[in-house]
Amino acid sequence: MNAATATATAAVSTPTSAAPAPAVTPAERTGARTDEAAALIGDARERIDALDDRIIGLIQERMAVSAVIQEARISSGGRRVNLAREMEVLGRYRDALGKPGTALAMTMLELCRGRI
């Protein structure tokens, strides 16, 4: 290896020290303009995360109950899906949450169908 190759190899293999990433303030992390607003947002986000965990758990429980219903319906000679019941569910969500409630209910029904 000649001197030029050795120098180039050393330059490539020598790690360079990267500057530490600047600390992100709570205000920057939340998009708030004050630390007080950032604290409020941080607390509210923690609550939302806890609510989401509960919602996910409830949907998983609903999926399990729906599977029991589907198994009973199929084993008795019925169909896997009861469209009249699904329309009731869609109406209930629409009445409570408006048009987006219908989309939410459709997604939930899709999750609960066909697991067996």
Side-chain angles (χ1 to χ4, degrees):
M1 176 172 7
N2 64 31
T5 306
T7 303
T9 303
V12 170
S13 63
T14 304
T16 58
S17 61
V24 177
T25 67
E28 292 170 329
R29 189 172 37 256
T30 63
R33 295 187 180 225
T34 66
D35 288 338
E36 294 80 18
L40 178 71
I41 291 168
D43 291 345
R45 285 182 176 171
E46 285 180 20
R47 178 118 193 265
I48 285 174
D49 290 344
L51 290 167
D52 285 344
D53 289 343
R54 288 173 47 199
I55 291 167
I56 290 167
L58 289 169
I59 290 172
Q60 290 171 331
E61 183 179 349
R62 189 188 194 287
M63 291 167 64
V65 173
S66 182
V68 169
I69 292 169
Q70 290 175 48
E71 287 175 20
R73 192 180 298 121
I74 291 169
S75 67
S76 71
R79 300 179 68 167
R80 181 175 54 87
V81 176
N82 181 331
L83 295 178
R85 172 63 178 152
E86 288 196 356
M87 293 306 293
E88 289 175 21
V89 172
L90 291 170
R92 185 174 181 192
Y93 276 71
R94 182 191 60 246
D95 292 347
L97 303 171
K99 186 177 179 181
T102 304
L104 177 62
M106 286 296 295
T107 299
M108 185 190 57
L109 289 169
E110 183 179 347
L111 284 168
C112 292
R113 280 189 212 121
R115 294 288 183 177
I116 50 176

